Amino acid sequence: MTLETIRHLKHDTPDHDRRLDGMAQGVLGTDMDRPEGPLKVSGRATYAAETAPEGMAHGYLVRAATIGRITGSNAEAVQAMPGVLHVLEDERMIRNAAQGMAGKSPVQKQGQAWYVGQPVACVVAESFEQARHAAQAMMVTIEPDGTHAFDAESREAQVETPEKKQLVQGDFDGAMSGAAFSIDNDYRTSSMSSAAMEPHASIAQWDEDGAVTLRGSYQLLRFNKNELADVLGVAPEKVRILSPYVGGGFGSKLGLAPEAVAAALSAQVLGRPVRVVLHRRQVFETVTRRSETKQRIRLACDAQGKLTAIGHENLVSQLPEEVFSEPVAQGTHFQYAAPNRLVGHHIARIRRPAAGSVRAPGEAVGVTAFEIAVDELAKAAGIDPLEFRLRNVPEKHPENGKPFSSSTMEATLREGAKRFGWEHTAPRQRREGEWWIGTGMAGCVRVNMMIEAHARVVLTGQGVRVECDMTDIGTGSYAILTQVAAEMLGFAPSQVETVLGDTDLPPASGSGGSFGAASTSTAVYLACMELRERLAAKIGVKETELTLKDGHAIHDNRQTKLSELLGEEEWRALGHLEPGKAGQDVRQATWGAVFAEVAVSDVTGETRVRRMEGTFACGRILNLKTARSQCHGGMIWGLGLALTEALEHDPRDGHMVNRDLAEYHLPVNLDVPQLGVHFLEERDDWANPLQAKGIGELAICGSGSAVINAIENACGVRVRQLPATLDRVMEGLAAHD
């Protein structure tokens, strides 16, 4: 029997050893290609819907056409249609996707249609076409159950004010009234969709022992496993989820979604595999959206531009019974210093599809609006927006006095300005034909966190295998975990096999909240350290005296092949990271600055972004290529937030109007200029032993503000309702005529 030893770390204190700096393989931090890249570009990487077990049937969801109590259907007639095998109307069907890290069943149907588009049945047939045809023929009778609110700002909306999410410090009203300069404005951001490239899909199959295997497209497998088990009423040990490749998530695949439950329930009834793939329009409706926001921001400063008051009150929306609400002011609490502070959070319960975590929940919209407001106050005070921000960088957490684990906001602002060539000018100073030209900037901030993670590393004389249920949603998990193991154990990346996306493997962090890379890489690091200690002990040296490089152990001017040291043995180690006081005793965050140049048409109101530069500090960079790609993606999200993206809902019944990629306007190639990304060298010992931090969400948190601020600098139009569509810009331009 192969011995597996365990190395556990409860991360309570900073790790000053920085052992990775002493490794010799030289692969960590490089722009190494993704090891699974050739599989993806050649079509050999199998995504959730791309397998077909023998005897597989096809399911298609039936959506609610209105809201109310479900009283009947024509299921019997549908059951008689050609090819139909089963009509699922089980009360265990879920009304919407689970919230991230729920670990338990989402809200179930309960005999109700809670929103237009909710899955209320699933038709299963021999072919996809038969299932779709029958599902479209199914009529579900829904009786109205009262009046409902569909708009968070309507009088009918029931608004909750959670006590724990309110904050008042100092004399806010006094500071506002006595300020040299102040602003008081409402900012609105639109509801948004994750719109991941791969639609949600699940294939479920039960075995003779009452266990179910689900191949799906998910981000947090150890939580998803428990969610599915809870829905089905089985032990988690009876559930296996496979997600080796995920075609994007952005939060939409954090929690179990309706197609997985429908596939599992149908497969259990039929005793054969069932595949359910969501139509793009079903994806928009049934997985969680980002809530729209109304943000009242009040800021005050003295004559020197030092902030004296910060007020940030937010209204978001959510379905009844959902716990999550968009944490809009998450970054506001610590981004800038001010002695007098007020934060308010309000939740309107309305009947639109459920809101949930979408890339950078909280800061994506909160920092965006706040950084627009900061620009407005800087203008009111007559101070360069860059200089204004520099004057208000906090030395410690402004509300609780905790130190920052690292504070690089000032450095990113200065370096970003230098790289962009920042020179502030008054609005409406440059024109090229019909185009007004202007520049804008914004600070970026995102909380940093880790969650529990396990990973197994297997060492032989020929190479390394990494095993865990971590997912790769396009972020580069296969690459960075390969690099960590290769660096620590002295093998070329080609000699490292990384196996992910299977809940039969050790439970990793999963992908979400920008915690995946740091958390699971730390678990891999711990397992590798355990193996290094065992190798050092076998040789008779201290671990710090051992160098592993190119498949050799080097010590005391001697070099031994690992294949000779291990022979035919297979060494196993399990790394286990448990977050501790290091995430509580200090404020961990990532920081950045984005600068943009835009052109605004005086004729049509169109905005074209001409260049965009981002400078970010987010700990040790594990893979330069995937890190840069993540920042490119975040900045493009910022463009969408600022200029194009908005889910529209019918005010009469809350149904989603533009629920496909034809009408939900994502930025496309011609909308996006060349994007510059630069990383500051940073080692944050509080973060983890790798000094790595989250990066996937930081770049969205402020990028849109830089664009909106540049529009104002170009043509003098201040847009406070995002996105800045042509009509909104034209309305402002008309006021200048």
Side-chain angles (χ1 to χ4, degrees):
M1 181 176 179
T2 303
L3 174 67
E4 178 172 276
T5 54
I6 300 174
R7 175 161 293 211
H8 169 261
L9 170 66
K10 186 174 183 182
H11 190 41
D12 288 327
T13 58
D15 188 318
H16 300 299
D17 290 344
R18 300 188 179 182
R19 286 294 291 123
L20 281 172
D21 289 343
M23 300 299 157
Q25 191 63 33
V27 298
L28 196 63
T30 66
D31 59 353
M32 186 190 88
D33 290 340
R34 301 169 187 262
E36 83 287 8
L39 297 178
K40 290 180 174 177
V41 299
S42 62
R44 291 176 291 157
T46 52
Y47 288 84
E50 295 182 336
T51 59
E54 185 178 352
M56 184 183 73
H58 302 263
Y60 199 92
L61 295 181
V62 178
R63 65 189 290 273
T66 187
I67 295 171
R69 184 169 54 89
I70 300 171
T71 59
S73 72
N74 65 338
E76 187 174 338
V78 171
Q79 183 76 56
M81 293 180 69
V84 173
L85 300 169
H86 180 60
V87 178
L88 180 75
E89 296 182 284
D90 200 304
E91 286 301 304
R92 290 175 292 175
M93 291 184 69
I94 58 177
R95 70 174 188 184
N96 52 263
Q99 301 293 341
M101 300 172 65
K104 61 182 181 180
S105 171
V107 177
Q108 293 173 302
K109 192 168 67 171
Q110 302 175 30
Q112 292 188 58
W114 297 76
Y115 63 92
V116 176
Q118 174 187 320
V120 291
C122 181
V123 178
V124 185
E126 291 288 357
S127 73
F128 171 78
E129 291 77 13
Q130 289 170 328
R132 180 179 59 186
H133 177 62
Q136 291 171 343
M138 187 168 178
M139 304 294 291
V140 178
T141 305
I142 299 173
E143 297 292 338
D145 60 352
T147 59
H148 302 290
F150 304 109
D151 187 332
E153 296 188 48
S154 67
R155 291 181 179 180
E156 296 79 15
Q158 293 184 339
V159 178
E160 301 171 4
T161 302
E163 185 177 347
K164 292 183 178 180
K165 296 188 177 183
Q166 317 306 310
L167 171 80
V168 178
Q169 286 187 346
D171 181 7
F172 178 80
D173 291 335
M176 287 295 297
S177 62
F181 305 99
S182 65
I183 62 140
D184 180 352
N185 295 313
D186 288 341
Y187 302 85
R188 288 174 171 83
T189 62
S190 297
S191 183
M192 299 177 70
S193 173
S194 295
M197 184 179 294
E198 179 198 19
H200 288 58
S202 290
I203 302 173
Q205 185 170 7
W206 293 77
D207 64 22
E208 295 176 353
D209 296 324
V212 61
T213 297
L214 183 105
R215 176 176 285 272
S217 186
Y218 287 102
Q219 297 179 227
L220 303 175
L221 298 193
R222 66 182 172 100
F223 297 99
N224 306 139
K225 175 179 179 176
N226 292 334
E227 291 156 5
L228 184 56
D230 193 25
V231 170
L232 299 174
V234 301
E237 295 75 25
K238 292 288 188 179
V239 175
R240 182 186 187 190
I241 298 181
L242 300 171
S243 293
Y245 304 104
V246 180
F250 310 117
S252 70
K253 297 170 182 175
L254 292 174
L256 192 74
E259 96 291 337
V261 174
L265 291 172
S266 299
Q268 188 176 34
V269 171
L270 294 172
R272 58 191 285 189
V274 173
R275 177 168 65 192
V276 180
V277 181
L278 294 188
H279 185 284
R280 179 66 67 183
R281 289 180 172 178
Q282 293 174 328
V283 173
F284 270 74
E285 287 181 324
T286 63
V287 306
T288 51
R289 62 184 173 88
R290 193 197 300 282
S291 171
E292 70 284 6
T293 74
K294 177 186 176 183
Q295 306 178 43
R296 183 187 182 189
I297 300 178
R298 290 179 281 175
L299 302 175
C301 69
D302 61 22
Q304 287 72 46
K306 292 286 286 185
L307 283 166
T308 55
I310 291 176
H312 197 170
E313 297 171 273
N314 313 295
L315 176 66
V316 300
S317 73
Q318 184 57 286
L319 266 176
E321 298 190 23
E322 292 291 326
V323 175
F324 173 88
S325 63
E326 185 81 20
V328 178
Q330 193 161 249
T332 304
H333 289 291
F334 62 90
Q335 186 176 5
Y336 293 109
N340 306 288
R341 311 175 76 88
L342 182 151
V343 175
H345 186 75
H346 311 282
I347 309 164
R349 298 293 180 178
I350 63 174
R351 295 302 185 95
R352 292 182 179 181
S357 295
V358 177
R359 193 173 190 172
E363 291 96 330
V365 288
V367 171
T368 294
F370 195 82
E371 283 292 300
I372 297 170
V374 168
D375 242 53
E376 295 207 54
L377 183 59
K379 181 178 180 180
I383 301 173
D384 180 323
L386 172 64
E387 177 59 29
F388 187 89
R389 288 170 171 83
L390 291 170
R391 293 181 189 182
N392 291 286
V393 173
E395 295 181 358
K396 57 185 178 181
H397 195 300
E399 293 175 3
N400 57 33
K402 288 183 180 180
F404 290 109
S405 62
S406 68
S407 181
T408 50
M409 183 175 177
E410 179 178 348
T412 59
L413 287 168
R414 293 191 184 280
E415 181 66 22
K418 177 182 175 183
R419 289 178 172 273
F420 183 77
W422 175 257
E423 184 177 349
H424 181 61
T425 61
R428 297 173 69 92
Q429 297 298 305
R430 292 177 57 196
R431 185 157 177 169
E432 298 175 3
E434 71 180 72
W435 299 92
W436 293 102
I437 312 300
T439 57
M441 55 85 57
C444 302
V445 65
R446 172 72 173 144
V447 294
N448 185 67
M449 67 191 97
M450 291 202 304
I451 70 169
E452 188 174 16
H454 301 74
R456 176 183 295 117
V457 176
V458 182
L459 175 65
T460 70
Q462 286 69 48
V464 181
R465 186 170 70 254
V466 177
E467 299 176 343
C468 60
D469 76 355
M470 182 61 177
T471 50
D472 191 325
I473 59 175
T475 46
S477 301
Y478 280 104
I480 61 173
L481 299 183
T482 295
Q483 286 172 280
V484 171
E487 193 67 58
M488 293 290 292
L489 297 176
F491 280 100
S494 60
Q495 295 173 281
V496 178
E497 179 189 12
T498 298
V499 184
L500 305 179
D502 183 347
T503 56
D504 278 0
L505 301 176
S509 62
S511 302
S514 293
F515 52 63
S519 300
T520 301
S521 291
T522 297
V524 172
Y525 169 91
L526 293 171
C528 291
M529 281 298 296
E530 177 68 13
L531 293 169
R532 288 179 63 90
E533 293 278 8
R534 288 169 62 181
L535 283 170
K538 182 165 185 171
I539 295 170
V541 298
K542 296 178 180 179
E543 185 276 326
T544 53
E545 298 171 352
L546 175 65
T547 298
L548 298 178
K549 181 175 170 57
D550 298 332
H552 292 79
I554 304 168
H555 57 94
D556 298 330
N557 293 320
R558 289 180 292 170
Q559 181 170 292
T560 307
K561 290 182 178 180
L562 289 174
S563 57
E564 295 176 5
L565 279 173
L566 274 66
E568 298 300 316
E569 294 181 35
E570 182 179 271
W571 287 11
R572 292 172 171 245
L574 185 71
H576 176 200
L577 167 69
E578 183 182 357
K581 294 180 180 178
Q584 304 165 11
D585 293 346
V586 295
R587 173 73 270 175
Q588 292 189 27
T590 52
W591 311 87
V594 174
F595 294 77
E597 179 181 278
V598 305
V600 181
S601 170
D602 194 53
V603 177
T604 66
E606 177 189 358
T607 298
R608 295 181 181 177
V609 181
R610 307 212 312 185
R611 61 190 179 108
M612 206 170 183
E613 291 281 340
T615 299
F616 306 103
C618 34
R620 184 191 297 271
I621 301 301
L622 302 177
N623 182 300
L624 186 59
K625 180 178 291 185
T626 59
R628 187 183 294 117
S629 176
Q630 286 295 290
C631 290
H632 284 158
M635 293 165 74
I636 294 168
W637 269 74
L639 289 180
L641 174 62
L643 298 177
T644 66
E645 293 187 50
L647 284 176
E648 303 292 348
H649 296 84
D650 191 311
R652 297 168 298 178
D653 61 4
H655 84 263
M656 198 176 287
V657 177
N658 56 336
R659 52 194 178 102
D660 56 36
L661 295 178
E663 298 298 329
Y664 181 77
H665 296 152
L666 294 166
V668 296
N669 286 353
L670 285 176
D671 297 316
V672 183
Q674 287 294 317
L675 303 175
V677 171
H678 174 68
F679 296 109
L680 293 187
E681 184 77 15
E682 183 190 31
R683 296 286 187 270
D684 186 343
D685 295 327
W686 284 93
N688 47 64
L690 284 73
Q691 299 86 42
K693 297 166 81 170
I695 193 172
E697 297 171 317
L698 172 63
I700 187 178
C701 306
S703 293
S705 322
V707 173
I708 297 297
N709 293 336
I711 291 173
E712 195 276 339
N713 181 251
C715 64
V717 176
R718 174 58 71 186
V719 180
R720 300 191 182 102
Q721 182 169 353
L722 275 55
T725 49
L726 280 64
D727 56 318
R728 290 170 181 158
V729 175
M730 282 299 296
E731 183 179 353
L733 287 170
H736 281 280
D737 292 342

